[in-house]
């Protein structure tokens, strides 16, 4: 049964990771940390960092072209480009407009959407609405980040966690019974203080002092976010399952946001899922915020872990605070 007039699903995926690798050993040279601490507390072993000449749109463009190829579409077939990012190239124009120009998607509208690490789920939900009503036929949904640009490389509590990358998905009409079965989104702005970048917006424009104070980099109350994350990951997935009329046992594959392996393991346990049904690549890439889920999805699909007819659950959480989950019946 379609939600709306038409069923919508993901017909192609792509991802791009910068080549430059920073290992935990490299970080030991920069801050007072150790490979053992990082692996034990987070599961992260290394992360990718964009070259100085690369911006978020460059990563997004590469991922977008691969997703188009996978979907067997050309850029001209795309009606809308939607980019979830917290690290746009600049405040405006949107990174989506820059990608639209790069890939020559001349028939496409373009805008960015910001919901931090939940951004890709929010963007999928948005794309789904346009397809379900028949307003658009093909939408390029991208999660892309250069978190290295807003990381405080002197703060060991945060700099070990993040990485850069981009993942893309083409959302289009699919056969009834396949594609998105439900979405569940949520937000709690009262938690904004736990995870934020304080300066650079209209509240606190850039000054010499904001730069000196590192207010342009990520601030995180790690334990507050951790407690929120372990609760919300399973709750959001359960709500999406309920909306799809499915039980926990119906999940064939879980693609969680990659923030901390302990958060992922905890979510799997609460959902009664064996880790064999859970995708993780946090060891290779760290937390890439809005890019984590689409990169993980692309790697899961391309490695044959997701098969036609599988019920796939995507679930994430992030600054805002925000959270979201989507359930899809995979159709390819
Ligand atoms: N290396 C060595 N020691 C460290 C490091 C490090 N990199 N980081 C912190 N420590 C120390 C702390 O200083 C502390 O020392 P103390 O006891 O002497 O004060 C000790 O380790 C324990 O610190 P905790 O913060 O309690 O460590 P915890 O086990 O909670 O792990 C972590 C910290 C990994 C940040 C965890 O809290 C976490 O994953 N939180 C959630 C993060 C998250 O999900 N963020 C998602 C959103 S990101 C976004 O939206 C952009």
């Amino acid at each position: 049964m379609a939600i709306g007039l038409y069923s919508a699903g993901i017909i192609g995926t792509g991802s791009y990771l910068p080549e430059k690798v920073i290992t935990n050993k490299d970080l030991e040279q920069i801050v007072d940390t150790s490979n053992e601490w990082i692996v034990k507390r987070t599961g992260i072993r290394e992360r990718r960092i964009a070259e100085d000449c690369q911006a978020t749109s460059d990563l997004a463009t590469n991922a977008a072209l691969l997703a188009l190829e996978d979907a067997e579409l050309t850029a001209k077939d795309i009606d809308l480009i939607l980019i979830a990012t917290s690290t746009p190239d600049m405040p405006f124009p949107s990174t989506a407009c820059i990608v639209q120009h790069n890939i020559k998607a001349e028939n496409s509208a373009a805008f960015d959407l910001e919901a931090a690490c939940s951004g890709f789920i929010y963007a999928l939900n948005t794309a789904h609405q346009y397809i379900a009503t028949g307003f658009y036929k093909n939408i390029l949904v991208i999660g892309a980040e250069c978190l290295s640009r807003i990381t405080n490389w002197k703060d060991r509590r945060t700099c070990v966690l993040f990485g850069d990358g981009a993942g893309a998905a083409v959302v289009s009409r699919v056969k009834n019974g396949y594609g998105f079965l439900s979405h569940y989104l949520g937000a709690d702005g009262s938690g904004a203080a736990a995870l934020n970048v304080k300066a650079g917006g209209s509240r606190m424009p850039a000054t010499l002092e904001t730069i000196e104070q590192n207010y342009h980099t990520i601030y995180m109350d790690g334990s507050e976010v951790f407690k929120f994350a372990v609760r919300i990951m399973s709750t959001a997935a359960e709500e999406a399952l309920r909306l799809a009329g499915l039980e926990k046992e119906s999940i064939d594959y879980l693609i969680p946001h990659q923030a901390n392996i302990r958060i992922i393991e905890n979510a799997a346990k609460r959902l009664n899922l064996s880790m064999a049904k859970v995708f993780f690549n946090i060891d290779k890439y760290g937390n890439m915020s809005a890019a984590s889920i689409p990169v993980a999805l692309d790697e899961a699909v391309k490695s044959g872990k997701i098969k036609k007819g599988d019920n796939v659950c995507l679930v994430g959480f992030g600054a805002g605070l925000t959270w979201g989950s989507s359930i899809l019946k995979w159709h390819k």
Side-chain angles (χ1 to χ4, degrees):
M1 184 72 154
I3 304 172
L5 282 176
Y6 302 102
S7 294
I10 293 174
I11 66 160
T13 60
S15 58
Y16 173 80
L17 286 313
E19 279 174 24
K20 188 168 163 187
V21 176
I22 303 271
T23 64
N24 292 347
K25 286 273 170 215
D26 295 328
L27 288 175
E28 286 178 3
Q29 312 303 313
I30 305 173
V31 285
D32 179 15
T33 190
S34 66
N35 176 51
E36 291 68 32
W37 191 95
I38 303 171
V39 172
K40 185 159 175 251
R41 306 307 295 164
T42 72
I44 301 167
R45 292 179 184 276
E46 56 187 46
R47 67 287 294 143
R48 301 298 181 91
I49 302 292
E51 297 295 339
D52 290 346
C53 62
Q54 286 180 310
T56 297
S57 65
D58 300 313
L59 277 47
T61 297
N62 288 327
L65 291 171
L66 291 167
L68 281 175
E69 193 184 326
D70 191 39
E72 297 178 13
L73 293 180
T74 70
K76 288 192 179 58
D77 298 317
I78 296 298
D79 303 307
L80 172 67
I81 298 172
L82 198 44
I83 299 196
T85 186
S86 303
T87 48
D89 287 22
M90 54 191 97
F92 62 83
S94 69
T95 303
C97 279
I98 297 167
V99 171
Q100 186 245 12
H101 175 68
N102 287 351
I103 67 171
K104 301 184 179 61
E106 55 206 40
N107 303 314
S108 173
F111 67 94
D112 289 358
L113 179 156
E114 211 277 287
C117 306
S118 314
F120 186 73
I121 305 276
Y122 268 66
L124 281 182
N125 177 301
T126 307
H128 182 182
Q129 310 311 312
Y130 284 113
I131 304 292
T133 56
F135 196 84
Y136 287 137
K137 282 196 177 139
N138 300 308
I139 302 179
L140 196 46
V141 179
I142 305 170
E145 302 282 9
C146 279
L147 292 179
S148 60
R149 305 296 201 265
I150 57 165
T151 295
N152 178 354
W153 292 101
K154 291 181 180 148
D155 178 8
R156 69 174 184 177
R157 292 166 303 166
T158 52
C159 77
V160 303
L161 303 174
F162 303 113
D164 301 338
V170 179
V171 176
S172 303
R173 286 182 196 172
V174 296
K175 215 172 129 196
N176 261 352
Y178 288 91
F180 295 113
L181 303 180
S182 70
H183 304 277
Y184 172 70
L185 301 180
D188 176 8
S190 72
L195 185 53
N196 55 50
V197 175
K198 291 187 171 42
S202 57
R203 176 71 61 197
M204 200 186 284
T207 62
L208 280 178
E209 196 200 339
T210 61
I211 292 167
E212 276 164 15
Q213 297 289 334
N214 269 311
Y215 287 162
H216 295 270
T217 58
I218 298 169
Y219 165 81
M220 185 174 72
D221 181 337
S223 62
E224 271 307 303
V225 177
F226 192 92
K227 279 185 263 169
F228 155 71
V230 290
R231 175 175 57 81
I232 208 67
M233 287 276 267
S234 55
T235 307
E238 280 164 11
E239 278 302 306
L241 282 168
R242 187 181 61 75
L243 292 169
L246 296 174
E247 304 292 330
K248 284 182 196 173
E249 297 67 43
S250 317
I251 299 180
D252 294 302
Y253 213 70
L254 181 76
I255 310 274
H257 175 47
Q258 311 281 311
N260 186 319
I261 194 68
R262 292 186 287 141
I263 295 173
I264 295 173
E265 285 167 352
N266 198 293
K269 198 167 160 199
R270 288 176 183 226
L271 292 166
N272 300 334
L273 276 178
S274 101
M275 283 300 278
K277 289 185 167 190
V278 180
F279 191 84
F280 55 91
N281 55 13
I282 186 169
D283 51 330
K284 293 188 292 179
Y285 308 135
N287 177 353
M288 299 182 289
S289 192
S292 279
I293 291 176
V295 170
L297 177 65
D298 182 49
E299 293 195 343
V301 171
K302 301 280 166 66
S303 61
K305 291 194 156 64
I306 295 176
K307 293 172 288 302
K308 185 171 178 172
D310 278 354
N311 291 319
V312 180
C313 175
L314 313 179
V315 63
F317 65 92
L321 301 166
T322 55
W323 56 90
S325 179
S326 299
I327 311 279
L328 304 106
K329 189 169 277 295
W330 202 254
H331 74 287
K332 272 185 102 179

